[in-house]
Amino acid sequence: MTRICGKRARRLHRRCSHKYGAIAGNGSTRQQLLPFRVPLHPPDGIVHHLRLAQHRLRPQQHAQHERQAGPDHYSARAALKNNATLNSQYRLDMEYMKRRMEHRVERLQKKCAEHRLNEPKHNYKPKAWEYLIQPEYHLVWCNVFKAASTSWMYNFNLMAGYTPQFLRKTKDVPLQLARQKYPRPSVEKLKQAINESISFIIVRHPFERLVSAYKDKIQYALPNSHHHKLGNRIIQKYRKTVNGKPTTLLKHPTFSEFVNYLLDEIKHPHYEIDMHWVPVTHFCTPCFFHYDVIAKFETLEEDQNYLVAIGHLDSVIKPQWKNAGKGAHTNDVLARFFSELDNAQIRGLYDYYRFDFELFGYSAKGYFKDLITN
């Protein structure tokens, strides 16, 4: 057992924590979460004032800061005084967000131990390949594709020094730009960075993420791209015919055809599954690393605002959507796509993404036509 103290504990404003192997916790009693209220954000200037309070300035230091800060600080202080309830509500919501993250991390740790996913095996070991380490702002992120990855790749490129103007005009792939600044780390280097950083991951309902990947990479594949050629191969192998004629004239694979392809691929463990739909459990191996923030796509605005706040990143990045998806919104087409599948296909998908469901607290209820699952 090792004890996490010092710089990392101070940075995250928490007690020293105990770490057992690959699983860490802060030792505090977790509380049952209540239905979430939308955070009430204070007027401009109050966040800055609250951060000053976190540093616990001595009275003479605080007075000196006020003299140097000028009228903006005085107006912020007046707003704080006149909005005591607002300020109290804001701090209460931040505390709630802290408990939300503790709850998610606790679930992850519990399920990892329950399924022994925190134990290396012959074909299952810690993977640091997809993580990005931002040393200046002390951030560590596993880039889960189709879970706000475009937005946060943009943010990491901003933090790497690329200007918004350059990022708008360049033809280079954002991931390639990022890797020029953030080399792929070793497992040892990643663990060391996590101890000095705020580590986070963004996850999404496995079936929603799959549909989003299908739409983006298969249905709307760019001509002559890798995924466009893959789509042609899927059609050749899986498209059914009646009296020698195809059942559909679509030029891209149907969702059912794509699912049949995926279920065949996963029968061969030596095959490399595409990073856009591989399970997070295999892609980031989250049971081997500690996270301070587990953000969810479904509560992304709240979660990433919390991340920006505790990381003091608001002067660097502004959370925003960089890839809203193509065609109709994913939630609007989920039912239609899954109506193409039979229960055997859905069961196959659920079995493949089972640990993503369990580790991150998602359910497949409502997807099966006449079966009941967790």
Side-chain angles (χ1 to χ4, degrees):
M1 181 181 73
T2 58
R3 188 169 172 82
I4 302 175
C5 298
K7 182 177 179 181
R8 184 181 181 213
R10 291 194 300 271
R11 178 173 178 80
L12 300 179
H13 307 290
R14 67 188 186 197
R15 300 185 186 93
C16 295
S17 61
H18 298 286
K19 187 172 183 181
Y20 297 85
I23 294 181
N26 68 357
S28 62
T29 301
R30 304 300 200 269
Q31 300 183 32
Q32 183 66 33
L33 297 185
L34 300 173
F36 183 73
R37 301 186 307 278
V38 176
L40 190 57
H41 298 289
D44 292 341
I46 291 183
V47 174
H48 175 67
H49 183 87
L50 290 175
R51 287 179 185 159
L52 291 176
Q54 288 177 348
H55 292 293
R56 299 180 180 178
L57 298 177
R58 296 186 181 93
Q60 61 270 27
Q61 291 176 314
H62 193 81
Q64 180 181 3
H65 176 84
E66 284 186 330
R67 288 193 297 271
Q68 296 173 347
D72 288 341
H73 179 74
Y74 286 117
S75 62
R77 191 181 184 196
L80 183 68
K81 182 177 181 180
N82 295 330
N83 292 276
T85 303
L86 180 64
N87 177 35
S88 176
Q89 180 68 51
Y90 175 74
R91 286 191 289 188
L92 179 63
D93 285 335
M94 288 296 289
E95 180 63 24
Y96 179 88
M97 291 300 297
K98 180 175 179 288
R99 295 202 310 272
R100 169 189 273 184
M101 295 307 157
E102 289 174 347
H103 178 81
R104 290 176 180 176
V105 170
E106 184 182 53
R107 180 190 176 91
L108 173 65
Q109 295 169 354
K110 178 181 177 181
K111 292 297 181 179
C112 286
E114 181 180 317
H115 297 291
R116 303 181 68 177
L117 292 172
N118 54 348
E119 302 174 9
K121 301 175 181 62
H122 174 67
N123 58 347
Y124 175 72
K125 298 177 181 179
K127 288 178 59 178
W129 190 253
E130 303 300 340
Y131 285 78
L132 288 84
I133 299 172
Q134 219 307 331
E136 182 179 357
Y137 294 95
H138 299 278
L139 284 180
V140 172
W141 169 51
C142 186
N143 170 33
V144 177
F145 289 93
K146 309 314 300 177
S149 56
T150 301
S151 301
W152 275 93
M153 192 64 68
Y154 177 82
N155 291 336
F156 266 69
N157 278 331
L158 284 180
M159 288 185 282
Y162 296 112
T163 65
Q165 295 79 8
F166 172 80
L167 293 175
R168 280 197 302 268
K169 295 179 180 179
T170 184
K171 301 297 183 182
D172 293 333
V173 177
L175 178 58
Q176 294 176 351
L177 290 174
R179 284 305 177 192
Q180 294 175 22
K181 304 290 186 176
Y182 306 110
R184 295 186 185 274
S186 65
V187 171
E188 292 73 21
K189 185 173 182 180
L190 175 59
K191 289 182 177 180
Q192 180 181 359
I194 286 175
N195 282 334
E196 298 291 331
S197 307
I198 296 173
S199 53
F200 74 101
I201 188 172
I202 303 173
V203 297
R204 187 176 188 177
H205 190 288
F207 287 171
E208 290 188 14
R209 177 172 168 252
L210 179 65
V211 167
S212 179
Y214 162 76
K215 289 175 58 186
D216 189 31
K217 298 301 177 182
I218 301 297
Q219 184 178 5
Y220 296 102
L222 296 175
N224 300 317
S225 66
H226 161 72
H227 288 103
H228 182 260
K229 295 174 183 177
L230 172 62
N232 289 337
R233 294 197 299 271
I234 292 174
I235 290 174
Q236 291 174 3
K237 184 173 181 179
Y238 295 99
R239 182 145 296 175
K240 297 178 180 179
T241 59
V242 176
N243 297 325
K245 296 182 179 180
T247 54
T248 177
L249 297 179
L250 287 175
K251 294 184 178 180
H252 61 264
T254 65
F255 186 62
S256 180
E257 292 166 346
F258 168 69
V259 168
N260 285 335
Y261 153 78
L262 176 58
L263 294 178
D264 278 349
E265 287 289 290
I266 62 181
K267 294 176 183 176
H268 306 281
H270 60 282
Y271 284 10
E272 188 74 21
I273 303 299
D274 190 289
M275 58 189 175
H276 294 91
W277 45 78
V278 68
V280 177
T281 307
H282 299 300
F283 194 65
C284 296
T285 56
C287 291
F288 291 107
F289 304 110
H290 173 75
Y291 298 108
D292 300 295
V293 172
I294 298 177
K296 289 192 173 184
F297 195 84
E298 297 77 13
T299 55
L300 186 58
E301 182 177 3
E302 300 153 2
D303 296 346
Q304 67 184 3
N305 282 341
Y306 174 74
L307 174 61
V308 168
I310 65 172
H312 296 193
L313 304 172
D314 53 319
S315 63
V316 186
I317 61 175
K318 303 294 182 185
Q320 54 186 304
W321 292 105
K322 283 295 176 183
N323 183 8
K326 302 180 178 72
H329 192 276
T330 299
N331 289 340
D332 298 331
V333 297
L334 273 171
R336 176 167 61 84
F337 281 144
F338 270 80
S339 69
E340 299 179 19
L341 308 182
D342 58 34
N343 277 330
Q345 290 172 301
I346 299 174
R347 170 56 66 181
L349 289 177
Y350 177 77
D351 289 343
Y352 182 51
Y353 291 104
R354 174 192 169 196
F355 291 128
D356 282 9
F357 277 99
E358 294 204 24
L359 298 186
F360 301 110
Y362 288 110
S363 172
K365 286 182 179 178
Y367 285 89
F368 289 84
K369 295 178 174 62
D370 52 20
L371 298 177
I372 298 178
T373 186
N374 76 326

